[in-house]
Amino acid sequence: MGGIKEWLVAVLVAAAVIAGIYWFVIKEANRPETPVAVPEAVPEVQPKVELEEPEPVIPPAPEPTPPKEEPRKLPALNDSDKEAANDLVSLSADGTLARWIVPDEVVRKWVAAVNTATKGDLMHKNRPFKNVDGKIAVKELEIRPDGQKVYVLSQENYQRYDAPVRLFAMVDTDTAVNLYQFWYPRLKQAYGELGLKNKNFHAALLAAIDQALAAPEVDGPVKLVRPTVYYKFEDEKMEKMPGLHKLMIRIGPDNAARVKEKLTELKSALENMPSEQQ
């Protein structure tokens, strides 16, 4: 009996083990699949590449600027009025110079005026600029024993020249010299038309400036007489002065000082500009 009992126990244990294995395998095989969480894609990191040599150190350099505009073409002398007048007017920020510039034969008239000024004189006809408005302003000072009335230039007369003198003083010297360089071939051409022995317009311009700078300064009231229609300086020496000098007196001491200051500045710039065969 003992042997039979032990055999039965062994059979039961074996059956239980087989049943457990069968249940586990079949159960796991029929279990519904549980979705597996998929990790989000991680951006691919590029592997570092070891260079054979380190990158060169590039020194800083200025960035390139746009190309400069091509210089404009110089117009022919006979076709130069419009551009020459526009360039002169551009020397005043608000274009106010336009009211003072004569717009025809611009280059030729300025050249002729410069040539006349080299002798200290003024052009009375075909001027390149317009006269100031109004008539000469004077005040009666006294009556001489011979009955001749004596006048003096008044402050109101000097003020007549304030506007053009102020515009001249405000001209940018560098801009003026650059325009002078641009127009010089036509200025030289017009100067050659005058048939003078001296063909160097640049020298003529500097001489004209020197004439204006040489105008004397008058202390005290400027006395005038009027023997006929026109006024004359009472002082005969003053009356015999060249016209450019007399003009510098008529505009008044303050305006004359401003004009001379600007002319001195312009002369220095003109003397120091790049030179070439002229």
Side-chain angles (χ1 to χ4, degrees), residues 135-140 148-153 157 222-234 239 246 250:
K135 298 180 180 180
I136 185 172
V138 300
K139 289 183 178 180
E140 186 175 322
Q148 178 73 57
K149 291 183 179 180
V150 179
Y151 306 86
V152 292
L153 287 175
N157 185 75
V222 178
K223 295 182 180 181
L224 306 172
V225 292
R226 194 178 186 181
T228 56
V229 178
Y230 301 104
Y231 290 96
K232 297 172 60 176
F233 290 108
E234 181 189 43
E239 183 58 32
K246 289 195 280 189
R250 287 198 301 271

Side-chain angles (χ1 to χ4, degrees), residues 44-89:
E44 184 179 358
V45 179
Q46 295 292 335
K48 291 184 179 180
V49 178
E50 295 295 334
L51 299 176
E52 294 182 0
E53 295 181 2
E55 294 186 11
V57 177
I58 302 175
E63 300 228 41
T65 57
K68 293 182 179 179
E69 294 181 3
E70 292 186 6
R72 59 190 171 116
K73 185 178 179 180
L74 187 65
L77 181 57
N78 290 336
D79 302 322
S80 63
D81 283 348
K82 184 176 181 180
E83 285 194 48
N86 288 341
D87 280 348
L88 285 172
V89 171

